[in-house]
Every structure is written in structure tokens, then in C-alpha cells.
Amino acid sequence: MRLEGATLQSIADHFEVSLEWIRQIVPPIEGKTWSLEGMRNRCVYPGIAQWLYENRCTYAKLAELIGAPQASVSRWMNGVHKPNKPTIDKILKVTGMTYEQAFGEEESSQPEEAAGLG
């Protein structure tokens, strides 16, 4: 399941076990060193950084899950651009978080869809 792109949370849900248990038994992706501090240093959105870390999910995998180019995801997570409303909705669906949890700000401050950033 992990090689097919499933998040650790979805694996836990599938087998009806805790996320913590899955974290203990699922090896990290080869060649990746995971640290929450490192993820937070690379991602301007604390909630998404936490989710990426907990699910051992790379920007490339997140891009695949939401159907966006990896370069765009990297720019959003590094604060160069902000994702547009349809992309935000996809991120929230994949992560299972609210806007406030994921982006750490009020939903009313979301970028306008017409801004074309995304």
C-alpha cells in the first residue's frame, strides 16, 4: 500500500489500527531522513509540515496525490506562491485537515481563485 502512495493514516484506517502503530512498523522511504524540525524548516505551513512528517510524505507524493506539478507544491510549501482555492480544497481532502489546521490562518484570508497562482 505504501509503495502505491497510501498515507500512513490511510494504511492505519484500512487495517483498523492506530497511526502510531503503523509508524512503528512501516519503514521510511529509502533515502529519506525524516525529522519534524527539518520538515518545518522547509514548509511555511506548520499543519501541513506536521502532516507530511507524520505520514512520511514527500512533496513529490503530495503533488501526485493532489494532481499538481511537484515544482508547484514546492513553491507553495516554501512560501514563494500560494495555492489557489481548488488546490487548497484538494490538499484539505487529502490531509483530512481544516483550513486553519493546514495553513494556520483564517479561511477568509485564502487567496482569490482569480489570482491564478497554483
Side-chain angles (χ1 to χ4, degrees):
M1 290 178 76
R2 184 72 178 136
L3 295 177
E4 296 167 356
T7 64
L8 296 181
Q9 183 63 59
S10 64
I11 295 170
D13 293 345
H14 177 79
F15 290 105
E16 299 179 353
V17 297
S18 74
L19 178 59
E20 287 304 314
W21 189 79
I22 292 295
R23 279 193 196 119
Q24 292 173 12
I25 64 166
V26 174
I29 297 171
E30 189 173 322
K32 291 288 179 185
T33 304
W34 298 94
S35 81
L36 182 54
E37 181 180 341
M39 188 58 72
R40 285 184 176 155
N41 287 338
R42 291 186 299 274
C43 183
V44 298
Y45 303 113
I48 294 176
Q50 181 79 32
W51 185 88
L52 292 168
Y53 172 76
E54 289 175 357
N55 288 282
R56 295 184 184 134
C57 186
T58 63
Y59 288 172
K61 179 49 69 180
L62 179 60
E64 183 182 318
L65 292 170
I66 65 171
Q70 180 181 345
S72 294
V73 171
S74 181
R75 286 189 294 266
W76 302 327
M77 298 304 134
N78 292 313
V80 175
H81 294 292
K82 288 191 174 190
N84 60 24
K85 174 78 167 101
T87 301
I88 289 170
D89 292 341
K90 289 177 188 177
I91 292 169
L92 298 180
K93 183 177 181 181
V94 165
T95 62
M97 292 190 281
T98 65
Y99 184 88
E100 291 78 16
Q101 291 169 326
F103 297 97
E105 53 191 62
E106 294 295 319
E107 191 164 0
S108 62
S109 65
Q110 286 187 32
E112 292 297 319
E113 189 171 342
L117 298 177

